[in-house]
Short mmCIF file of all heavy atoms in Angstrom, two decimals:
data_model
loop_
_atom_site.label_atom_id
_atom_site.label_comp_id
_atom_site.label_asym_id
_atom_site.label_seq_id
_atom_site.Cartn_x
_atom_site.Cartn_y
_atom_site.Cartn_z
N ALA S 1 -6.97 -16.30 -13.68
CA ALA S 1 -7.02 -14.84 -13.71
C ALA S 1 -7.54 -14.27 -12.39
O ALA S 1 -7.11 -13.20 -11.95
CB ALA S 1 -7.89 -14.37 -14.86
N PHE S 2 -8.45 -14.98 -11.74
CA PHE S 2 -9.02 -14.52 -10.47
C PHE S 2 -8.48 -15.30 -9.28
O PHE S 2 -8.92 -15.07 -8.15
CB PHE S 2 -10.55 -14.63 -10.51
CG PHE S 2 -11.18 -13.67 -11.46
CD1 PHE S 2 -11.68 -14.11 -12.68
CD2 PHE S 2 -11.27 -12.33 -11.15
CE1 PHE S 2 -12.26 -13.23 -13.57
CE2 PHE S 2 -11.84 -11.43 -12.04
CZ PHE S 2 -12.34 -11.88 -13.26
N GLY S 3 -7.57 -16.24 -9.50
CA GLY S 3 -6.99 -17.00 -8.40
C GLY S 3 -7.95 -18.00 -7.77
O GLY S 3 -7.87 -18.28 -6.58
N VAL S 4 -8.85 -18.56 -8.57
CA VAL S 4 -9.84 -19.52 -8.07
C VAL S 4 -9.36 -20.94 -8.37
O VAL S 4 -9.03 -21.26 -9.51
CB VAL S 4 -11.22 -19.28 -8.73
CG1 VAL S 4 -12.22 -20.33 -8.28
CG2 VAL S 4 -11.71 -17.88 -8.40
N ALA S 5 -9.33 -21.77 -7.35
CA ALA S 5 -8.94 -23.17 -7.52
C ALA S 5 -10.16 -24.02 -7.85
O ALA S 5 -11.27 -23.70 -7.42
CB ALA S 5 -8.28 -23.69 -6.24
N ALA S 6 -9.96 -25.09 -8.58
CA ALA S 6 -11.06 -26.02 -8.87
C ALA S 6 -11.49 -26.72 -7.59
O ALA S 6 -10.66 -27.05 -6.74
CB ALA S 6 -10.64 -27.03 -9.92
N SER S 7 -12.78 -26.92 -7.45
CA SER S 7 -13.30 -27.54 -6.23
C SER S 7 -14.59 -28.28 -6.55
O SER S 7 -15.36 -27.86 -7.42
CB SER S 7 -13.56 -26.47 -5.17
OG SER S 7 -14.18 -27.02 -4.04
N ARG S 8 -14.82 -29.37 -5.81
CA ARG S 8 -16.08 -30.11 -5.96
C ARG S 8 -16.44 -30.69 -4.60
O ARG S 8 -15.61 -31.32 -3.95
CB ARG S 8 -15.91 -31.24 -6.97
CG ARG S 8 -17.17 -32.08 -7.09
CD ARG S 8 -17.00 -33.21 -8.05
NE ARG S 8 -16.89 -32.64 -9.39
CZ ARG S 8 -16.69 -33.35 -10.49
NH1 ARG S 8 -16.56 -34.65 -10.41
NH2 ARG S 8 -16.61 -32.78 -11.66
N GLN S 9 -17.67 -30.45 -4.15
CA GLN S 9 -18.15 -30.96 -2.87
C GLN S 9 -19.59 -31.42 -3.02
O GLN S 9 -20.36 -30.83 -3.79
CB GLN S 9 -18.07 -29.89 -1.79
CG GLN S 9 -16.66 -29.45 -1.48
CD GLN S 9 -16.62 -28.43 -0.36
OE1 GLN S 9 -17.42 -28.50 0.56
NE2 GLN S 9 -15.70 -27.49 -0.46
N ASN S 10 -19.95 -32.47 -2.28
CA ASN S 10 -21.32 -32.99 -2.26
C ASN S 10 -21.78 -33.09 -0.81
O ASN S 10 -21.00 -33.43 0.08
CB ASN S 10 -21.40 -34.37 -2.90
CG ASN S 10 -21.10 -34.30 -4.38
OD1 ASN S 10 -21.72 -33.54 -5.10
ND2 ASN S 10 -20.14 -35.07 -4.81
N PHE S 11 -23.04 -32.77 -0.58
CA PHE S 11 -23.66 -32.85 0.74
C PHE S 11 -24.98 -33.58 0.60
O PHE S 11 -25.73 -33.34 -0.36
CB PHE S 11 -23.93 -31.45 1.29
CG PHE S 11 -22.73 -30.55 1.29
CD1 PHE S 11 -22.47 -29.73 0.21
CD2 PHE S 11 -21.87 -30.54 2.36
CE1 PHE S 11 -21.37 -28.90 0.20
CE2 PHE S 11 -20.75 -29.71 2.36
CZ PHE S 11 -20.51 -28.89 1.27
N SER S 12 -25.28 -34.48 1.54
CA SER S 12 -26.59 -35.13 1.53
C SER S 12 -26.98 -35.48 2.96
O SER S 12 -26.12 -35.68 3.82
CB SER S 12 -26.59 -36.38 0.65
OG SER S 12 -25.75 -37.36 1.19
N ASP S 13 -28.28 -35.53 3.20
CA ASP S 13 -28.77 -35.85 4.54
C ASP S 13 -30.26 -36.21 4.45
O ASP S 13 -30.94 -35.86 3.50
CB ASP S 13 -28.60 -34.66 5.47
CG ASP S 13 -28.53 -35.05 6.92
OD1 ASP S 13 -28.71 -36.24 7.24
OD2 ASP S 13 -28.29 -34.17 7.77
N ALA S 14 -30.71 -36.93 5.47
CA ALA S 14 -32.13 -37.28 5.59
C ALA S 14 -32.72 -36.53 6.77
O ALA S 14 -32.06 -36.35 7.79
CB ALA S 14 -32.27 -38.78 5.80
N THR S 15 -33.94 -36.07 6.62
CA THR S 15 -34.64 -35.36 7.68
C THR S 15 -36.03 -35.97 7.84
O THR S 15 -36.50 -36.71 6.98
CB THR S 15 -34.78 -33.86 7.37
OG1 THR S 15 -35.51 -33.72 6.15
CG2 THR S 15 -33.43 -33.20 7.20
N PHE S 16 -36.70 -35.63 8.95
CA PHE S 16 -38.03 -36.17 9.20
C PHE S 16 -38.83 -35.22 10.07
O PHE S 16 -38.28 -34.32 10.71
CB PHE S 16 -37.94 -37.54 9.89
CG PHE S 16 -37.53 -37.45 11.33
CD1 PHE S 16 -38.48 -37.37 12.34
CD2 PHE S 16 -36.20 -37.41 11.68
CE1 PHE S 16 -38.10 -37.26 13.66
CE2 PHE S 16 -35.80 -37.31 12.99
CZ PHE S 16 -36.76 -37.24 13.99
N ASN S 17 -40.12 -35.45 10.12
CA ASN S 17 -40.99 -34.81 11.11
C ASN S 17 -42.10 -35.79 11.45
O ASN S 17 -42.53 -36.59 10.63
CB ASN S 17 -41.56 -33.47 10.61
CG ASN S 17 -42.44 -33.61 9.41
OD1 ASN S 17 -43.17 -34.57 9.26
ND2 ASN S 17 -42.38 -32.64 8.52
N ALA S 18 -42.53 -35.76 12.70
CA ALA S 18 -43.61 -36.62 13.17
C ALA S 18 -44.44 -35.82 14.16
O ALA S 18 -43.90 -35.05 14.96
CB ALA S 18 -43.05 -37.87 13.84
N SER S 19 -45.76 -35.97 14.10
CA SER S 19 -46.62 -35.25 15.03
C SER S 19 -47.85 -36.07 15.36
O SER S 19 -48.24 -36.98 14.64
CB SER S 19 -47.04 -33.89 14.44
OG SER S 19 -47.92 -34.08 13.35
N ALA S 20 -48.44 -35.71 16.50
CA ALA S 20 -49.70 -36.32 16.94
C ALA S 20 -50.54 -35.22 17.59
O ALA S 20 -50.03 -34.41 18.36
CB ALA S 20 -49.45 -37.45 17.94
N ALA S 21 -51.81 -35.19 17.25
CA ALA S 21 -52.75 -34.23 17.83
C ALA S 21 -53.93 -35.01 18.39
O ALA S 21 -54.56 -35.80 17.67
CB ALA S 21 -53.21 -33.23 16.78
N TRP S 22 -54.23 -34.81 19.67
CA TRP S 22 -55.33 -35.49 20.34
C TRP S 22 -56.35 -34.44 20.76
O TRP S 22 -56.04 -33.55 21.54
CB TRP S 22 -54.81 -36.26 21.56
CG TRP S 22 -55.86 -37.03 22.28
CD1 TRP S 22 -56.63 -36.59 23.32
CD2 TRP S 22 -56.27 -38.37 22.03
NE1 TRP S 22 -57.48 -37.57 23.72
CE2 TRP S 22 -57.28 -38.68 22.96
CE3 TRP S 22 -55.88 -39.34 21.11
CZ2 TRP S 22 -57.90 -39.92 22.98
CZ3 TRP S 22 -56.49 -40.56 21.14
CH2 TRP S 22 -57.50 -40.84 22.06
N GLN S 23 -57.58 -34.54 20.23
CA GLN S 23 -58.65 -33.59 20.57
C GLN S 23 -59.36 -34.10 21.82
O GLN S 23 -60.10 -35.08 21.78
CB GLN S 23 -59.64 -33.48 19.40
CG GLN S 23 -60.59 -32.34 19.53
CD GLN S 23 -59.87 -31.00 19.45
OE1 GLN S 23 -58.91 -30.83 18.71
NE2 GLN S 23 -60.32 -30.05 20.23
N LEU S 24 -59.10 -33.47 22.96
CA LEU S 24 -59.67 -33.90 24.23
C LEU S 24 -61.14 -33.54 24.34
O LEU S 24 -61.95 -34.32 24.83
CB LEU S 24 -58.89 -33.30 25.40
CG LEU S 24 -57.41 -33.70 25.45
CD1 LEU S 24 -56.69 -32.91 26.51
CD2 LEU S 24 -57.29 -35.19 25.70
N SER S 25 -61.48 -32.33 23.91
CA SER S 25 -62.88 -31.87 23.88
C SER S 25 -62.99 -30.85 22.76
O SER S 25 -62.04 -30.62 22.03
CB SER S 25 -63.27 -31.27 25.23
OG SER S 25 -62.58 -30.06 25.44
N GLY S 26 -64.15 -30.21 22.65
CA GLY S 26 -64.33 -29.24 21.58
C GLY S 26 -63.35 -28.09 21.62
O GLY S 26 -62.95 -27.58 20.59
N ALA S 27 -62.93 -27.67 22.82
CA ALA S 27 -62.07 -26.50 22.96
C ALA S 27 -60.63 -26.84 23.35
O ALA S 27 -59.77 -25.98 23.32
CB ALA S 27 -62.65 -25.54 23.99
N PHE S 28 -60.36 -28.08 23.75
CA PHE S 28 -59.03 -28.43 24.25
C PHE S 28 -58.43 -29.60 23.49
O PHE S 28 -59.12 -30.56 23.17
CB PHE S 28 -59.09 -28.80 25.75
CG PHE S 28 -59.51 -27.65 26.62
CD1 PHE S 28 -60.81 -27.57 27.07
CD2 PHE S 28 -58.61 -26.67 26.97
CE1 PHE S 28 -61.22 -26.51 27.85
CE2 PHE S 28 -59.00 -25.61 27.76
CZ PHE S 28 -60.31 -25.52 28.21
#
């Protein structure tokens, strides 16, 4: 009735994050 075709799709992926913080002194 609305002209919509059947459809099926899948998406997958892996992501990451990595960090390092080095305290040199009290203020830096």
